[in-house]
Amino acid sequence: MASKLDNIFKQRKQKLERLRGRGVNPYPHRFTQTHTTGEAIELLDKQKGGGEGKKVSVAGRITAIRKMGKASFMDIRDISGKIQLLFQTVNYKEAEMELFKDLDIGDIIGVEGKLLRTRTGEPTISVAGFTLLAKSLRPLPEKWHGLSDTEIRYRQRYIDLIANTGVKDIFKTRSRIIAAIRQFLDKRGFIEVETPILQSAAGGALAAPFITHHNVFDRDLYLRIAKELHLKRLIVGGFDKVYEIGSDFRNEGIDSEHHPEFTMLESYEAYADYTDVMTMVEQMVAYVAQQVLGKKEVKYGKDTVKISPPWRRITLRDAVKEYSGIDYVKYPTADGLREKMRSVMKEVDPQKNWAKLVDELLKTFVRPRLIQPTFVYDYPVSMSPLAKNRPGEERVVERFQPYAGGMELGNAYSELNDPILQRERFVEQMQERHGHDEEKWTIDEDFLTALEYGLPPTGGLGIGIDRLVMLLTNQASIREVILFPQLREKEE
């Protein structure tokens, strides 16, 4: 027995055949627009009635049809908004009437006509002529005006974008956020560059990579887990300020803040340290919020987050001590720290090393409390193999992470530029990860060679674009700010 959807699909295909039988091309090559729907409405508003009678040509998808005999109405929507169409069908020729009868919700049409306002003040185009631009064979989902099924929304984002205008707004805002970041960095003299996505070594972070194979070279390659090592090569080569915005890939879990493909900004500035980068971050995020939202405070969940500098600064040791009651420095071994953590936590992973236990304290007790923008800084060296030690400190490095809305937004540090020490750190990480095949830490010999030519003092930064967009658009899930998120394979 055919389903309702099958029947509608069949009916629309019949309409398509009728249209073609009458010599109508249901998929023409182009249509000339004079205005978007938003521009047409603006024309009416700006001229305070003087816009009435102006001829416009607009195009969009039909989202409502109200057939009322001699005068019928439709709504069409494009990227800028919605406008009402008035069809006075008594004025149309027979061929136009036949086409009008075969229009459905979801079809894309182009119209020409004069602007007017109805008695209720609704901006309207009185349609003198119209053209079918694309026949929709599938109906929009039932209750599509409030489509909420996340499975459909994420798997068929095109339906989500049609149905939920607020979703379009999120991604328009995302585009503006990235553009504002570029403006900010370009004004500061940074150069935007592109580095390889396919890499011979999975370096720059401790994460499980995606592995692929190059047939011609007959070798395995990794999708990059970070941009860091190639960008620092450019600093060695004499580019003093560089940045890149692009995708990184980590073959790990998915949750509200993690996705296997994500967008990162990484920047590196010669002759700077992590305090310079802190100042740049708070200024950049405030600049972006002002440029994109027109304000420096945002609503995130039930909280108001005030983005204006200066942001709070607190050491990792003090933050963990304040929110968990544990001074991890007093417990220098994994077993000792694990035993202490059991006094404040129900479960503690017996396999985690000391660095991962400290990270667990940070994620469990500190991060959820950091609603207002905060820099947590000065991390144990075992957590940060690419960072430079604080002067006079053997176990502490100059690293910080920015937090806001209870989320980690990024990672930054004064870059380690001693090639001998960097090799030692890499070897330690290799030994530490022995037997943990899911997380690759490979020694990038070419990167170490680059360091041997001399890397100047450098401040490095990574900011998660997806999480920044989540914060500035008040979204609790990373999937809401990624156009096509990864999903499990659909069951037939």
Side-chain angles (χ1 to χ4, degrees):
M1 182 177 175
S3 67
K4 181 179 179 182
L5 179 61
D6 291 335
N7 288 331
I8 293 173
F9 187 84
K10 182 178 178 181
Q11 290 167 10
R12 293 197 176 193
K13 280 195 71 177
Q14 290 172 347
K15 288 183 179 181
L16 184 70
E17 292 164 3
R18 285 203 302 269
L19 289 167
R20 284 182 165 144
R22 296 199 302 268
V24 175
N25 179 4
Y27 304 105
H29 287 74
R30 67 189 306 273
F31 179 80
T32 302
Q33 296 172 266
T34 60
H35 298 76
T36 65
T37 62
E39 290 167 346
I41 293 170
E42 188 178 353
L43 182 60
L44 268 175
D45 291 340
K46 277 187 175 179
Q47 299 196 17
K48 298 181 180 178
E52 293 201 31
K54 296 283 186 181
K55 290 183 179 180
V56 295
S57 173
V58 303
R61 187 181 298 274
I62 299 172
T63 57
I65 298 176
R66 300 176 292 278
K67 294 185 178 180
M68 305 168 67
K70 295 182 180 180
S72 295
F73 294 90
M74 289 185 188
D75 294 337
I76 61 168
R77 183 178 293 278
D78 64 9
I79 188 66
S80 65
K82 172 180 73 71
I83 196 166
Q84 179 175 262
L85 308 179
L86 168 62
F87 291 83
Q88 294 176 306
T89 51
V90 292
N91 298 328
Y92 299 147
K93 298 176 182 178
E94 182 178 351
E96 292 173 316
M97 279 303 304
E98 290 300 316
L99 174 58
F100 180 79
K101 291 175 184 177
D102 282 336
L103 295 179
D104 292 298
I105 290 176
D107 291 352
I108 299 172
I109 63 171
V111 301
E112 299 171 343
K114 295 181 179 179
L115 290 169
L116 59 87
R117 287 189 182 274
T118 62
R119 283 175 292 182
T120 60
E122 180 77 13
T124 304
I125 299 173
S126 178
V127 178
F130 60 96
T131 305
L132 176 64
L133 302 178
K135 183 65 182 172
S136 173
L137 297 182
R138 292 183 179 272
L140 299 177
E142 291 188 17
K143 301 181 181 178
W144 64 272
H145 286 282
L147 179 63
S148 59
D149 187 320
T150 54
E151 177 73 13
I152 294 176
R153 290 185 55 239
Y154 297 153
R155 198 175 294 280
Q156 296 178 281
R157 182 66 88 180
Y158 42 90
I159 296 178
D160 188 28
L161 293 168
I162 295 170
N164 297 319
T165 56
V167 174
K168 271 200 190 82
D169 293 337
I170 290 171
F171 290 103
K172 287 162 68 176
T173 301
R174 179 187 174 110
S175 177
R176 294 179 63 208
I177 288 170
I178 294 172
I181 290 172
R182 286 192 165 104
Q183 290 169 5
F184 177 87
L185 292 171
D186 291 347
K187 287 177 182 178
R188 293 175 72 100
F190 282 80
I191 296 173
E192 184 173 10
V193 297
E194 295 172 280
T195 59
I197 290 175
L198 289 175
Q199 300 186 351
S200 58
L206 186 61
F210 288 93
I211 304 173
T212 187
H213 187 79
H214 192 285
N215 292 334
V216 173
F217 292 161
D218 191 23
R219 63 185 293 200
D220 286 343
L221 295 171
Y222 302 94
L223 297 184
R224 69 183 177 200
I225 57 178
K227 307 171 185 70
E228 179 167 347
L229 302 188
H230 281 87
L231 289 173
K232 285 196 280 193
R233 285 171 168 90
L234 297 180
I235 299 292
V236 170
F239 283 98
D240 288 345
K241 295 181 179 181
V242 294
Y243 76 94
E244 182 173 7
I245 299 173
S247 293
D248 291 341
F249 308 83
R250 298 185 184 179
N251 196 357
E252 299 174 342
I254 297 177
D255 59 29
S256 62
E257 295 179 13
H258 295 86
H259 189 263
E261 178 180 357
F262 56 99
T263 303
M264 287 288 292
L265 158 71
E266 287 198 38
S267 70
Y268 293 83
E269 180 176 0
Y271 315 111
D273 70 359
Y274 75 145
T275 61
D276 299 305
V277 180
M278 277 190 209
T279 301
M280 186 183 79
V281 169
E282 62 188 4
Q283 291 176 353
M284 179 176 69
V285 176
Y287 174 86
V288 170
Q290 184 65 47
Q291 290 291 111
V292 175
L293 306 176
K295 55 186 179 181
K296 293 180 182 176
E297 63 177 44
V298 295
K299 193 76 174 174
Y300 190 70
K302 65 181 188 307
D303 300 299
T304 298
V305 179
K306 297 180 180 179
I307 294 173
S308 295
W311 293 6
R312 180 192 181 199
R313 287 161 167 77
I314 185 171
T315 67
L316 176 63
R317 181 182 180 183
D318 288 343
V320 171
K321 191 190 307 183
E322 177 179 336
Y323 294 113
S324 75
I326 296 177
D327 184 355
Y328 59 75
V329 173
K330 294 181 179 179
Y331 305 92
T333 66
D335 289 339
L337 182 57
R338 188 179 296 109
E339 187 61 31
K340 180 61 179 176
M341 288 171 64
R342 289 194 176 104
S343 67
V344 294
M345 299 175 66
K346 290 182 179 180
E347 295 183 7
V348 182
D349 190 336
Q351 302 301 317
K352 286 187 174 179
N353 61 26
W354 187 87
K356 284 189 173 291
L357 290 173
V358 174
D359 192 52
E360 187 172 348
L361 286 170
L362 170 62
K363 291 178 179 177
T364 303
F365 294 99
V366 180
R367 186 175 68 182
R369 310 285 284 278
L370 302 182
I371 304 303
Q372 298 306 318
T374 302
F375 293 121
V376 178
Y377 67 98
D378 287 358
Y379 282 60
V381 65
S382 57
M383 298 175 69
S384 313
L386 291 163
K388 201 177 188 73
N389 287 73
R390 278 184 61 84
E393 298 273 3
E394 290 185 6
R395 300 189 63 180
V396 179
V397 295
E398 293 188 340
R399 173 189 175 189
F400 75 84
Q401 290 183 294
Y403 291 85
M407 282 190 298
E408 171 199 326
L409 297 180
N411 192 25
Y413 29 84
S414 300
E415 301 294 336
L416 179 58
N417 60 345
D418 179 338
I420 306 301
L421 182 55
Q422 183 65 89
R423 179 178 290 278
E424 292 174 1
R425 295 262 189 94
F426 279 172
V427 170
E428 288 173 8
Q429 286 291 328
M430 288 285 286
Q431 294 171 343
E432 182 74 29
R433 301 316 305 159
H434 180 69
H436 295 264
D437 292 334
E438 74 282 0
E439 291 181 340
K440 298 289 184 185
W441 188 277
T442 53
I443 296 179
D444 188 331
E445 288 292 345
D446 183 70
F447 171 68
L448 291 172
T449 299
L451 288 188
E452 290 168 356
Y453 281 93
L455 173 72
T458 299
L461 169 68
I463 290 289
I465 296 295
D466 308 303
R467 292 186 190 174
L468 182 59
V469 175
M470 287 170 63
L471 178 68
L472 297 183
T473 59
N474 193 17
Q475 299 300 314
S477 171
I478 196 170
R479 292 185 180 188
E480 295 290 350
V481 300
I482 294 176
L483 275 168
F484 299 103
Q486 293 293 328
L487 301 169
R488 292 186 185 277
E489 189 171 349
K490 188 175 182 181
E491 294 182 7
E492 294 298 332

